[in-house]
Structures are given as structure tokens and as C-alpha cells.
Amino acid sequence: MAATVSPFSGVLQLTDLDDYIGPSQDCIKPVRVDKKPGKAAAKIRIEDDGSYFQVSEDGESQKLEKAKITLNDCLACSGCITSAESVLITQQSHEELHKVLNANKTSDSASQKLVVISVSPQSRASLAARYQLTPLDTAKKLTGFFKRLGAHFVFDTTFSRNFSLLESQREFVRRFQRQADDKGALPMLAASCPGWICYAEKTHGSFIIPYVSTAKSPQQVMGSLVKGPFAEWQRLRPDQIYHMAVMPCYDKKLEASRPDFFLQEHQTREVDCVITTGEVGKLLDQEGLSLPDVEPAPLDTISSSCSEDRVFGHAGGGSGGYLEHIFKHAAMELFGIQVDKLEYKPLRNKDFQEVTLERDGQTLLRFALAYGFRNIQNLVQKLKRGKSPYHYVEVMACPSGCLNGGGQLRADGEDGKDLLLRVERLYESVEPEEPEANEAVGALYAEWLGGPESERARQALHTQYHPVEKANAAGFNIKW
């Protein structure tokens, strides 16, 4: 759960362990205790049952309360981190980017790396809100900033999300059509949130994995694009490109480090490094710059998804719009019903809502979004009891979704809710595009993948998940 990398959890560090602390095991964190003058130091007695007692000099004892980690503390910002993973994510920082850029300056041309930066639209919106810029101005100034540092190309992951959405749509239709013969086909659970995936693999393993969509996230699709066709267009091997992604979430570092996304043939990762929106702020501070003061640069295009004067997005909310795109596609593909606007029905809270498609009094589709671990756990418990009514659930670890990710810029003298509202408005202010209508996406399917249903498309745009055995709780070395 905690790691030695401070942005994930600065309160508790676990060392010498094989896995995170499971939900069935007690997990406590220290509490700051203000020392009162005039009292001598007390001793702590630990009973056989694990209880702690404070013993004063006169022999009086007082039972101490454990500071329990709640859902807000546990898993809400960084998911489950193991000691092995913490080593991997030390390679995922803005310092690593500096190392590569500095090495490029001193190396001969044959040893230099082509540096590609991929920026998520959620990070762009967070930066736009902080610096009071439009999304377009933010994109241009980010491009100028990274190129000033030494990057060669700066791309927008909105383009790669087109593939992720299309693959998710097709996968849902296939699962829906085989649900009578495959009990694990539905509900299909979204897979673009690595905090949720980490939790699912380590906590519910083989039970939950069959339900999880295999479509890669936009980050990893961009990795396939950059180290695949883009590398070919540049006449470079994949290992000659250094690909860094800017994301709203620390868990994206773990996603990039997954063995499934390591290209064995070329000994390189699809995404070499991930930094958060907040780390971009640190980079700007280190350079003594404020984003509004950066000279803008024309936007790069891995395709025509983004022109010099426009940026695009997708409808359906700040977490990628998976529910909305899959719902509309399934309604038309499976039932011939065109849905123009979705009507969301809040259930337990604003982070658990559902959408239904009905005809003649019959419910044809029932979708839901579940954000935050409290709602995720309720969803999983329903699944385990066989009482989940949903065909698809957009699952995100962070309350309010990706725009509120743990790696986003925090409020600076502003109410956090007000900041989030501004980020949401900026995110939604860009023109939405339909993945099916993007000609560059269609061309890549045809020329690079040999069609959307090809084996090459499956290998490039899909992944797999692995249950993780729970570790023995004995022998944890806990450092405070």
C-alpha cells in the first residue's frame, strides 16, 4: 500500500515485503501527539493481544487508540505499491527526463534518443486552470516548454484515446453477444485506471479479472503508436526513442512499469517514464518559469487529431467518456437505437450513477459509473453476491474521476471544489470528436494494424491482467 517514494504515501513505509497489506489485515498509521510541558516521558506496554498501553511514572496505564486507515487514506491516491514496484517507479520522475536530455547534449548523434512527450487532456486542463489559460494556449505553451528543454515531439493522448474507445466499444458488443455462454462476459469493467487494476489484481484476483476490459488505456496505446508506426516513420528502432507521458495520476507510473508493456525484442518500454501534472509544475519552477511566460510553439501531430489551431476532446466526462461512447455504440449496434444524450441517475452519491436504455418497458442496457474505492468495493460485493444488474461499469479509483487525480495540481489558496469545477469546465470547453470519424485513426487501423479485427490489432491495442497471491502478513518490517 505504501512505498518509499514520497508522493505515494509519506506517512507509512513498508519494506521487505512481497505484497501490499490486504484488506483483511490491520493497518495503522501514526498520529501526531503534542507534548505537554511538565510531564515526564511515559512507557509503552504492548499486551499479548496487540493492545498498546501508556504507563506513567506513577504506574497508571491508559489504553492507546489505533489510528485506523480509512478508505480516504488507503488506495485513494496511489493504489497498492509493493517494494519491487517502488524500485521501478523511482525511474519514473522528472529527474529521469533531465538525465536523458542532458545525455543527449553530450552524446554523439548515434547514441542520442529521440524524446517524445505525450500529454493527457486532464493534465492540460489542470495546468490551464492553474495558470488561467485556455486549453489551446496551454497546449501550445507546453509544447514550447518541453521543446525548450530538449524534447523533439509533444503529442496529445486524445488521439490515442480514440483507439481505446473504439476497442472498448467492440469488446463490449462481443461480450454482450456471448453472455449466455460465458458467465464472466458481463458486466464489463473499465480498465483505463491503473489504481483500480492494481487493486483488482491484488485484492480480488481471478474472481474479478474476467470482467475487466482488455483494451489498453490511452497512455499505453500511445506507447504502442510511438514505439510502433511512429518509430518506423522516423526510421528508428523503438529503443532509440525515449517516450515520456504527462498524466493526472501517480498510478500511471505503475502502469508504464508493468511487464506486459515491455518490448522484449528491443528491450524497451512502450512508455519509458511518466510524470504527473504536479511534476510539470516542478519542472517549470526549476527553470524559473511560469507557463504564461513560455513562448508557444505549433502543436505536433502524430496524426490529424490535433491541428495547429485546435485541440480536441471526447464527450462523456473527465475520465475519458468510456461509458457514454460504449453506451451509444451498443444501443445502435445491438438494438438499432440512436442515443443522442444520456440521462444519468445518481444513486448512492454523485460518484455512483447509472444510465439505462429502455424499450417497451424493458431494460435493454444498464450502465453505471463507480468512482472512488467506497463505490468500487460496493460494486465488487454486489458482483460476488451475484446481484450486480449492470452490463458495463466505468470504474475509476479517484473520487470525481481522473480530473481529480492524485497527480493533479492542488488548490493554491482556493477551495478544492471550486478548482475542480474550473478544471472540469476547461476540460469540457474543447470541441469533442467522434472516434469513428477520425480519418487518421481509420488509416492507421488499415495500414498499421491490417483492420480493426486483426490479430495485430489485438496484440497492439489489448493487454491482460494477472492475479497476485496475497502475501503472508508475518514478518513485515514497518518503518515509521
Side-chain angles (χ1 to χ4, degrees):
M1 181 191 81
T4 56
V5 181
S6 59
F8 286 79
S9 176
V11 179
L12 173 66
Q13 294 184 4
L14 300 176
T15 61
D16 301 332
L17 73 157
D18 297 317
D19 197 14
Y20 85 129
I21 292 181
S24 61
Q25 303 165 7
D26 283 339
C27 180
I28 63 172
K29 65 177 181 179
V31 174
R32 181 187 297 275
V33 178
D34 295 324
K35 292 182 179 179
K36 297 181 179 179
K39 288 194 174 182
K43 294 182 179 180
I44 301 296
R45 184 178 74 244
I46 304 177
E47 300 292 338
D48 292 337
D49 63 356
S51 301
Y52 288 73
F53 285 82
Q54 176 178 301
V55 183
S56 64
E57 281 192 327
D58 57 12
E60 292 184 3
S61 61
Q62 178 184 359
K63 187 175 181 179
L64 299 177
E65 293 291 326
K66 288 183 179 180
K68 296 184 181 298
I69 287 184
T70 67
L71 288 173
N72 290 329
D73 300 309
C74 181
L75 303 167
C77 66
S78 64
C80 324
I81 313 298
T82 70
S83 55
E85 288 164 343
S86 69
V87 174
L88 286 172
I89 57 179
T90 59
Q91 303 165 10
Q92 307 267 350
S93 69
H94 57 285
E95 284 89 355
E96 287 299 310
L97 174 63
H98 273 306
K99 288 180 184 178
V100 173
L101 294 174
N102 290 335
N104 271 355
K105 295 174 183 177
T106 58
S107 303
D108 58 82
S109 58
S111 302
Q112 292 177 3
K113 300 268 189 176
L114 184 79
V115 178
V116 176
I117 313 289
S118 298
V119 181
S120 72
Q122 292 90 350
S123 295
R124 182 180 64 207
S126 180
L127 288 160
R130 166 61 61 88
Y131 295 105
Q132 297 184 354
L133 298 168
T134 68
L136 177 59
D137 287 340
T138 303
K140 288 184 175 181
K141 288 179 179 292
L142 277 176
T143 301
F145 173 64
F146 283 123
K147 290 194 173 182
R148 171 177 172 157
L149 293 179
H152 300 95
F153 293 90
V154 181
F155 296 139
D156 179 0
T157 61
T158 300
F159 178 69
S160 56
R161 193 165 64 194
N162 285 306
F163 290 90
S164 188
L165 290 169
L166 289 169
E167 291 302 309
S168 298
Q169 290 173 184
R170 297 181 184 116
E171 181 184 0
F172 176 79
V173 170
R174 290 194 297 267
R175 284 172 173 260
F176 191 91
Q177 291 172 335
R178 72 168 192 262
Q179 62 179 308
D181 303 317
D182 182 359
K183 292 183 179 179
L186 295 177
M188 182 170 116
L189 306 177
S192 63
C193 172
W196 147 241
I197 294 299
C198 196
Y199 169 78
E201 288 182 323
K202 295 181 178 182
T203 308
H204 301 288
S206 55
F207 168 77
I208 206 74
I209 284 174
Y211 299 106
V212 179
S213 168
T214 61
K216 280 185 180 180
S217 71
Q219 172 181 293
Q220 295 308 135
V221 172
M222 184 60 86
S224 295
L225 290 168
V226 168
K227 298 289 179 93
F230 180 76
E232 293 176 8
W233 298 334
Q234 299 297 316
R235 298 182 179 179
L236 295 172
R237 300 188 311 271
D239 59 297
Q240 292 177 300
I241 297 177
Y242 184 81
H243 180 207
M244 189 193 81
V246 178
M247 290 287 148
C249 170
Y250 283 102
D251 287 330
K252 286 292 184 180
K253 297 172 185 278
L254 284 178
E255 180 180 28
S257 299
R258 289 177 68 92
D260 305 270
F261 303 136
F262 185 79
L263 305 175
Q264 289 289 346
E265 181 182 354
H266 298 283
Q267 291 296 294
T268 185
R269 298 189 183 281
E270 293 176 342
V271 180
D272 297 287
C273 179
V274 176
I275 67 171
T276 63
T277 317
E279 287 175 286
V280 174
K282 291 180 182 178
L283 278 172
L284 285 162
D285 291 342
Q286 288 175 0
E287 296 295 317
L289 293 170
S290 178
L291 194 58
D293 301 328
V294 174
E295 190 69 24
L299 301 181
D300 292 321
T301 59
I302 196 171
S303 74
S304 59
S305 171
C306 182
S307 67
E308 184 176 336
D309 297 318
R310 297 167 73 190
V311 289
F312 291 90
H314 293 109
S319 298
Y322 288 86
L323 183 151
E324 181 159 326
H325 283 81
I326 295 171
F327 188 89
K328 289 181 176 180
H329 176 79
M332 177 57 71
E333 187 76 12
L334 296 170
F335 305 106
I337 299 175
Q338 180 172 331
V339 176
D340 296 319
K341 184 178 180 180
L342 276 65
E343 297 293 336
Y344 289 87
K345 177 185 176 183
L347 298 178
R348 291 175 174 269
N349 48 65
K350 67 179 179 62
D351 279 336
F352 197 99
Q353 303 185 47
E354 72 172 29
V355 182
T356 58
L357 178 70
E358 299 180 359
R359 182 170 62 189
D360 300 330
Q362 179 185 4
T363 299
L364 304 176
L365 293 174
R366 188 184 297 273
F367 283 25
L369 59 81
Y371 293 171
F373 276 95
R374 181 175 287 106
N375 290 322
I376 289 173
Q377 289 187 339
N378 288 331
L379 169 68
V380 172
Q381 291 309 312
K382 282 186 176 181
L383 267 172
K384 288 190 171 183
R385 294 195 300 265
K387 294 184 177 180
S388 172
Y390 302 112
H391 297 105
Y392 177 84
V393 185
E394 183 180 291
V395 186
M396 300 291 159
C398 291
S400 300
C402 298
L403 289 175
N404 192 40
Q408 294 283 68
L409 292 166
R410 299 294 94 185
D412 185 14
E414 177 183 8
D415 181 78
K417 293 181 179 179
D418 292 339
L419 173 62
L420 181 58
L421 285 173
R422 289 202 298 118
V423 173
E424 288 174 347
R425 284 196 294 267
L426 285 162
Y427 180 89
E428 293 167 359
S429 68
V430 302
E431 181 182 345
E433 69 170 345
E434 294 297 330
E436 298 88 345
N438 190 302
E439 294 181 1
V441 171
L444 275 168
Y445 265 116
E447 298 167 11
W448 172 45
L449 298 170
E453 301 294 338
S454 69
E455 177 63 19
R456 191 170 182 183
R458 188 193 66 78
Q459 292 178 355
L461 304 177
H462 289 259
T463 187
Q464 56 187 335
Y465 310 102
H466 318 280
V468 178
E469 294 183 6
K470 289 181 173 62
N472 189 335
F476 277 165
N477 176 12
I478 302 180
K479 292 185 179 180
W480 303 108

